[in-house]
Amino acid sequence: MHKLYLLLFTVLFLLYSTTMMAQEQASSSAKRKYTSIKIGPSLTALSPKGEPWFGGQIGAHAGISYLTMENDWLGIQLEAQYSLQGAKINRGHLLLHYLNVPVLAKVFLAPNVSLQGGAYAGLLLSERYEFESYSSRPNMKGADHGLLYGLTYGDEAGLTFSLRHQVGLVKVIHAKNQVFQLSLSYCISSK
């Protein structure tokens, strides 16, 4: 399953890159592009079907994003990010380390305000369950995917703040990932 998701990540990235290069060559006027680094805290949980969420746990995320503005009100953003996720289960902590690759559409309601929505694929890098002094490695599915939506405020060529909700569609351990992220992004390159 890991190989399938790695292949999916590679294909999506190559398709996106090829499309962007073809559009650049066909267009005489270059589109605005922003490359940013992002970091922030997360509130993560697992939601089993028909039951309340397992206890929320504080996590974190960090990564890089590439935004291409199609016009003044629509942009396509591709990201790669490390995400520490998990939940409090039976007085212990389930820690999940993911590499997530979101692909988003950003619709700008105003120059500094955008709604975002899209999908993500995640690859489980490692997992650990900690209970008091006991530590184990549960048998979990190695991949995750789902939908995400959120809101961004700020100047894409400078500093932005985002609030996002990721909704997992795969049962990774009899439950699906739920992640709320608050991000601070800083543009390191704009063209």
Side-chain angles (χ1 to χ4, degrees):
M1 191 59 107
H2 286 358
K3 292 179 183 177
L4 176 65
Y5 277 91
L6 187 57
L7 179 63
L8 178 63
F9 291 154
T10 305
V11 169
L12 283 174
F13 182 75
L14 289 175
L15 283 173
Y16 183 79
S17 299
T18 304
T19 303
M20 291 297 104
M21 286 190 297
Q23 288 178 356
E24 284 179 4
Q25 292 172 354
S27 171
S28 60
S29 63
K31 298 177 183 178
R32 291 175 293 156
K33 297 174 177 72
Y34 307 98
T35 303
S36 301
I37 53 174
K38 64 184 293 184
I39 191 166
S42 303
L43 177 61
T44 67
L46 293 172
S47 61
K49 187 175 182 177
E51 296 181 32
W53 290 6
F54 291 146
Q57 177 170 288
I58 301 297
H61 62 280
I64 190 164
S65 66
Y66 180 75
L67 172 65
T68 300
M69 294 300 297
E70 298 298 319
N71 52 45
D72 288 339
W73 59 272
L74 178 65
I76 304 297
Q77 184 165 303
L78 178 65
E79 299 179 6
Q81 69 177 2
Y82 162 79
S83 181
L84 173 59
Q85 299 172 200
K88 293 179 185 174
I89 302 174
N90 299 331
R91 299 184 322 229
H93 296 276
L94 178 62
L95 303 174
L96 306 173
H97 301 268
Y98 278 97
L99 172 63
N100 288 330
V101 178
V103 179
L104 315 158
K106 293 182 87 168
V107 177
F108 287 80
L109 306 175
N112 290 337
V113 178
S114 65
L115 295 176
Q116 52 183 270
Y120 75 93
L123 181 63
L124 183 63
L125 302 174
S126 71
E127 74 276 356
R128 186 173 70 234
Y129 178 68
E130 294 179 347
F131 176 70
E132 296 175 357
S133 63
Y134 174 73
S135 181
S136 69
R137 298 209 178 270
N139 185 17
M140 300 192 53
K141 290 191 178 179
D144 184 25
H145 64 271
L147 304 174
L148 50 90
Y149 60 92
L151 177 70
T152 300
Y153 176 78
D155 181 9
E156 295 293 342
L159 198 61
T160 60
F161 299 92
S162 297
L163 180 61
R164 180 186 293 174
H165 180 210
Q166 280 184 200
V167 181
L169 298 177
V170 174
K171 287 187 176 180
V172 293
I173 185 169
H174 309 296
K176 299 175 183 177
N177 281 311
Q178 295 283 332
V179 180
F180 292 93
Q181 294 181 337
L182 180 61
S183 302
L184 174 65
S185 297
Y186 179 72
C187 183
I188 57 174
S189 172
S190 66
K191 297 179 185 177

